[in-house]
Amino acid sequence: MKPLSRLLIIGADSADPDLIEKWGAAGDLPNLMQLRACGAFGRVRNPVACDAGAAWPTFHSGLEPGNQPQFDGGRYFDPLDYKVKFHPPEVAAPAIWDELSRAGKRCFVMDAPYAKLARNLSGISIVDWGTHNSTVGDGKMCFSASPITVVDEVLSLVGPDPAGGRACDDYWPATPADCRRFLALHLDRIRKKTTLIKHFLAQGRWDYFEAVYGDLHCVGHHLWHINDPTHPRYRATAETALGEPLRTCYKALDQGIGEILTMVDDRTLIVFYASHGIGPQYTGTSLLDRILYNLEHGIHSKRKNPSLKKRLRALWRAAPRDLRLALMPLRNRFRGALGHSLFLPHPETRKFFEVFCTNGTGGVRINLRGRESHGLVDPSDYGVLLDRVSSDLSKIVNVETGEPLIDQIVRLQEIFPGPYASQLPDLGLVWNRKHPIRYVSSPQIGTLAQEHVDGRSGDHRQEGLFLAAGHGVRGGGLNKVVEAADFAPTIRRIFGLPPQACDGKPIDALSAGPLF
């Protein structure tokens, strides 16, 4: 066997495994199905209750939350002032390409989600040209590259990001015309990223080449409802007007992959990586904090008289859902003046409160003495309180279905131990997302209504998918689900690097030993 010349990773951020298999079987994704037919394939399990923000950092580092700081992209809760913050660029999960670069390998990395600019890379690093979210995770894109001359090279070839460097949540496409424009800009971005990948792939000799498409992520969030008749926002007229926007994007991605594959030889190992899935956006996140308040203080607990801002917010929440969605772009102009936290104020005065984890998982933080600056719960009472809160939460039901609100309650700091464990929520509540979550009830909390309206109609499923073909790959479907943390140690073995302490183990089907 000839030695390996290149590892090529094509990432599809939040490309859903079920949709890939469904549309692949229908003949719409011939290039992906060709990879599947001639290589290895399998499902990927992301860190439980942290899939959206930890999927890519875990893939790139081999470390799960607890052993690296990015359980929610760059966002974290600061126990000193009880505020949500974003890590500075120097605080990030270690990336496999830095390790390869130090070993003398030439690397190209473009738009890897939540990955910082690699300034000392032996090769090229590009961030925030066309991604779902910024490298930090705060939605503020900052296109940059190292070497800096690559910025002009990109701009001269394809121009700036067709989305204008704006996060997809800034668009809130509501009308069919909005959705059509939103789809068009992401199709344009797929085409231009394919052009960039082909351009840089043709330059010189790369040992490691990774480029990630973020457009299926954006379109999945905002256009899921167009073709889901069970979704509350589904309208047959919109489906007639727009066709199948997600399917159109998946087909465009497949076409781009086909163009890229014409440039590789039989000494290339190709990995297509779909990080995590997409489905309907049904969430108890943001409702959870009022649930927790009632669990601590009782159903009839009274908060202070509402301010003018709160009265205006109450009027907003009382408006019909479709009206709120239509007015969302106008409302966003007043975010600074009338906008509010998803959570109740003054968490420091409570024994437990909501912290953000993902839309698919609610986070519960115990106000622990010695950890939080105004901790109220003695460490000796911590376990008993977690038991009681977990028991009370498990009794809450979705009023419209009678089913439990929560599928799974996870003690995150226990299952993800390590130097960063204290940054995690104490509990992760994986929502039951079979149906919309509009009203919830239990004897302890009474009946509460979901007040927050999210412009997203789609959100993440935990499972991902990989397809691998080419040099050294043992073909066929895997008989087990692999972990996201398994890929970094696999890449180390492929390149003959010494093993490092991590949470994953090499995938034998991709490499039984060094291939370089």
Side-chain angles (χ1 to χ4, degrees), residues 22-23 174-177 179-180 183 223-231 233-248:
K22 173 184 174 182
W23 292 330
T175 67
C179 294
R180 196 174 288 111
L183 174 62
L223 301 184
W224 174 268
H225 62 287
I226 301 300
N227 303 116
D228 182 356
T230 68
H231 198 284
R233 288 175 56 188
Y234 172 80
R235 300 292 182 271
T237 52
E239 183 174 34
T240 300
L242 296 168
E244 296 184 79
L246 267 73
R247 193 170 193 161
T248 299

Side-chain angles (χ1 to χ4, degrees), residues 419-439:
Y420 297 98
S422 64
Q423 294 185 1
L424 298 168
D426 294 286
L427 295 176
L429 315 180
V430 181
W431 306 119
N432 177 348
R433 309 181 90 181
K434 298 186 185 78
H435 305 280
I437 299 171
R438 289 181 281 226
Y439 300 93

Side-chain angles (χ1 to χ4, degrees), residues 12 47 59 90 145 234 359 483:
F59 172 80
E90 62 271 15
Y234 172 80
N359 280 333
E483 307 291 337

Side-chain angles (χ1 to χ4, degrees), residues 471-511:
H471 192 87
V473 172
R474 190 167 67 235
L478 273 63
N479 59 9
K480 64 176 182 177
V481 175
V482 300
E483 307 291 337
D486 291 341
F487 287 87
T490 301
I491 293 168
R492 284 193 190 97
R493 186 162 74 176
I494 288 170
F495 283 92
L497 300 184
Q500 302 288 332
C502 68
D503 296 311
K505 57 185 180 180
I507 303 168
D508 290 337
L510 270 62
S511 168

Side-chain angles (χ1 to χ4, degrees), residues 347-366:
E348 72 278 3
T349 65
R350 298 162 56 191
K351 291 183 179 179
F352 44 88
F353 48 87
E354 182 176 9
V355 291
F356 200 83
C357 191
T358 70
N359 280 333
T361 302
V364 179
R365 185 86 178 185
I366 302 297

Side-chain angles (χ1 to χ4, degrees), residues 26-59:
D28 290 326
L29 310 176
N31 297 298
L32 288 177
M33 291 302 100
Q34 178 63 21
L35 280 179
R36 188 180 189 273
C38 65
F41 58 92
R43 294 294 179 108
V44 179
R45 181 165 44 229
N46 288 294
V48 63
C50 301
D51 47 285
W56 284 104
T58 300
F59 172 80

Side-chain angles (χ1 to χ4, degrees), residues 314-396:
L315 286 174
W316 167 262
R317 292 193 295 264
R321 184 182 180 90
D322 282 355
L323 177 61
R324 282 184 285 171
L325 287 166
L327 294 176
M328 190 72 77
L330 178 63
R331 183 228 188 198
N332 286 343
R333 298 181 186 178
F334 297 94
R335 272 182 171 176
L338 297 178
H340 65 100
S341 168
L342 294 177
F343 312 135
L344 300 175
H346 306 299
E348 72 278 3
T349 65
R350 298 162 56 191
K351 291 183 179 179
F352 44 88
F353 48 87
E354 182 176 9
V355 291
F356 200 83
C357 191
T358 70
N359 280 333
T361 302
V364 179
R365 185 86 178 185
I366 302 297
N367 197 6
L368 190 63
R369 193 174 299 147
R371 185 182 66 182
E372 272 70 22
S373 60
H374 295 81
L376 299 177
V377 177
D378 190 274
S380 63
D381 298 325
Y382 176 76
V384 173
L385 183 59
L386 280 183
D387 288 341
R388 179 173 70 79
V389 172
S390 298
S391 176
D392 289 344
L393 288 168
S394 69
K395 298 171 185 173
I396 301 172

